[in-house]
Amino acid sequence: MTMRSKAFAQAALEIAERKMFRDETPGKHCSPRLGTGGSFEDIFLWDTVFCCHWAKYHADKFPLTGSLDNFYRCQQDDGFISRQIHSNGISKWSPDHPVSFAPPLFSWIELELERLKIMPGRLAEVYDFLVKLHKFNYRWQRSDGLYFSDPWGCGMDDIPRVNDPADYLRGGGIKLTRNSILDEGADGDTLFQFMHTRIPGYFDWNKQLGWVDTTCQVAFDALNLAEIAGKLGKKDDAAAYLAEHRKLAETVNELCWDEDSGIYRDHLDGGWIRHKHIGAFWSLISGVAPESRAEKLFQHLENPETFGLPCGIPGISADDREFGLSKEHYWRGPVWAPVVYMILCGLRRFGQKELASRIAGKFYTAAYNIWEKTGTIWENYSPVQSDTPSVAAAPDFCGWSALIPLTIRREFI
């Protein structure tokens, strides 16, 4: 590691140290716990898992396992773990609406902790939590075998998931009601009004669509659970999860693959939505994509007209008419460290070491240049320049952006 890269990594650690929560909150959370980037006191599932993928290399300094255990501690009897939990251990969202859902990624990070020999024997301790959550998430499966989510539940807030905005007004989804937000009082009322009026029907759009990323994430969870079960000597469980993974992979390949464009798309009304988004690449890390289709995805990652942009992989294809780099284009243009890391891990699964290194290198260089100019690390980055921060990004985001200097450089450059 060069002196410059050491300085970049140290800056990320210092920001993460400042962002860490140390409050002695009564309830079900332990303190300290990893901060997930913003100023929220709530804990976020998706964010915390990705933060753990850099904290795994600094487990002596940061509350890695304690941050994960907060979620297990708050698991309900039916297996539900909310994507956002208040400091008193209560979910912000009702388990009856997919706005409460988060990609089931605990099994991924727990296997990483096992690989790094952090807390030996931990897999046996957490296995039941992981199994119960996986079973709970069956409620988000459609009759065709694909899974569904929610614009916020999927983690990519404003990625377009329709062919026409009027689609948001059609019925058939699980409707967001005031009861979907468990917050009492004026704050909950204000949030409901915001969600209800922001884009009419936006948060009622869920079950109508077969979400390619969500389905691949559940398949990935099944694959990881099979590996964990195997390590624990649970042969029947391992076989069952492998069978589930095969079935989900078959379903995604049958319903979500667009041969003409060489990419997986969300499934709608017997066809696909027109948007190409970064969620398609969950098919790599999850082992859903066969080799022949993975090759076409690799081509997109180097194609400057779609995802192969100079400073990283955008959330939506550059040839999409909704692609942009203004404050309004939150996920519809900027580069985000967590999904870039996911893609790099997917490339590693397919033995694409050189391609992963090229993608990691250009993203790392862009983030480094921005850090050198601004003195901080950002929530997301522009895919086309590294002179100024993304206008859609918050500063001091370590948080998951610490992945860039602490993990992406270490694992892929």
Side-chain angles (χ1 to χ4, degrees):
M1 181 180 286
T2 66
M3 292 297 293
R4 294 197 306 170
S5 59
K6 285 182 179 178
F8 190 20
Q10 185 59 37
L13 292 171
E14 290 175 357
I15 293 170
E17 174 73 16
R18 295 200 307 268
K19 303 289 278 190
M20 196 163 61
F21 281 98
R22 296 178 175 83
D23 60 304
E24 297 299 331
T25 306
K28 296 186 177 181
H29 290 182
C30 72
S31 181
R33 60 185 184 272
L34 290 170
T36 52
S39 58
F40 297 100
E41 294 188 7
D42 294 354
I43 57 173
F44 293 83
L45 192 160
W46 157 278
D47 307 57
T48 298
V49 168
F50 279 111
C51 286
C52 288
H53 276 286
W54 62 257
K56 67 190 180 185
Y57 293 121
H58 302 276
D60 59 329
K61 297 180 180 178
F62 290 93
L64 172 61
T65 55
S67 295
L68 293 170
D69 289 344
N70 280 327
F71 291 93
Y72 305 146
R73 192 177 294 112
C74 294
Q75 186 173 49
Q76 295 184 6
D77 291 341
D78 60 3
F80 172 65
I81 299 179
S82 177
R83 72 173 181 86
Q84 181 181 1
I85 303 174
H86 294 316
S87 59
N88 60 4
I90 303 299
S91 171
K92 184 176 183 66
W93 311 99
S94 167
D96 297 324
H97 192 277
V99 72
S100 66
F101 174 81
L105 302 180
F106 289 128
S107 56
W108 180 24
I109 186 60
E110 294 292 354
L111 278 172
E112 276 291 280
L113 302 188
E114 168 73 12
R115 181 181 66 83
L116 294 171
K117 296 180 171 54
I118 298 172
M119 288 189 68
R122 181 175 168 83
L123 288 180
E125 296 176 2
V126 303
Y127 181 70
D128 287 346
F129 296 114
L130 305 180
V131 168
K132 287 174 64 178
L133 176 61
H134 188 82
K135 290 179 178 178
F136 177 86
N137 287 334
Y138 289 155
R139 69 171 53 192
W140 311 125
Q141 189 173 31
R142 295 165 18 126
S143 60
D144 62 5
L146 295 173
Y147 277 75
F148 63 93
S149 187
D150 164 273
W152 283 2
C154 75
M156 303 188 298
D157 303 29
D158 63 343
I159 290 287
R161 303 276 190 162
V162 291
N163 286 323
D164 186 293
D167 288 343
Y168 286 128
L169 296 176
R170 70 162 70 182
I174 300 175
K175 192 172 181 62
L176 182 85
T177 69
R178 177 62 184 84
N179 291 334
S180 302
I181 306 171
L182 299 183
D183 289 7
E184 299 179 356
D187 289 345
D189 294 341
T190 299
L191 178 58
F192 175 71
Q193 289 301 318
F194 167 77
M195 296 174 73
H196 186 68
T197 60
R198 178 174 176 263
I199 300 176
Y202 191 65
F203 292 98
D204 303 331
W205 185 254
N206 41 67
K207 196 173 185 178
Q208 302 95 325
L209 186 72
W211 301 56
V212 63
D213 46 335
T214 305
T215 310
C216 287
Q217 289 157 356
V218 175
F220 186 40
D221 193 37
L223 191 64
N224 290 330
L225 285 171
E227 183 175 350
I228 294 172
K231 289 179 179 293
L232 297 178
K234 299 177 181 292
K235 295 182 179 180
D236 291 344
D237 284 10
Y241 284 123
L242 286 176
E244 180 183 349
H245 176 268
R246 286 194 295 271
K247 180 61 176 176
L248 288 171
E250 290 170 1
T251 301
V252 171
N253 279 293
E254 177 185 353
L255 299 179
C256 297
W257 178 252
D258 177 5
E259 180 66 27
D260 290 340
S261 63
I263 201 167
Y264 293 95
R265 298 179 185 267
D266 293 320
H267 184 79
L268 178 65
D269 296 339
W272 310 288
I273 66 163
R274 58 182 174 81
H275 305 284
K276 299 187 292 290
H277 62 72
I278 202 167
F281 297 99
W282 280 98
S283 61
L284 297 176
I285 193 174
S286 64
V288 164
E291 190 74 38
S292 60
R293 293 181 174 179
E295 290 288 344
K296 296 187 177 183
L297 295 175
F298 304 156
Q299 293 171 20
H300 277 293
L301 294 173
E302 297 198 280
N303 183 352
E305 295 184 0
T306 56
F307 293 95
L309 299 191
C311 297
I313 305 166
I316 192 171
S317 178
D319 62 0
D320 194 296
R321 67 190 184 197
E322 294 200 32
F323 174 89
L325 299 173
S326 71
K327 288 184 178 180
E328 288 71 38
H329 294 87
Y330 193 48
W331 275 84
R332 293 171 293 141
V335 186
W336 293 77
V339 284
V340 171
Y341 179 64
M342 172 273 294
I343 290 172
L344 295 174
C345 291
L347 292 174
R348 181 168 59 196
R349 179 184 182 87
F350 279 85
Q352 292 291 315
K353 182 178 179 180
E354 292 183 3
L355 176 55
S357 181
R358 288 198 297 274
I359 293 171
K362 65 182 180 181
F363 183 38
Y364 177 89
T365 299
Y368 175 87
N369 289 342
I370 294 290
W371 167 71
E372 200 169 45
K373 290 174 182 294
T374 65
T376 192
I377 296 171
W378 296 82
E379 181 182 10
N380 56 62
Y381 292 85
S382 167
V384 297
Q385 58 82 25
S386 59
D387 294 327
T388 57
S390 164
V391 296
D396 288 354
F397 216 86
C398 295
W400 58 32
S401 291
L403 282 166
I404 307 166
L406 300 178
T407 303
I408 287 176
R409 187 193 181 284
R410 177 175 183 148
E411 295 184 9
F412 296 101
I413 298 177

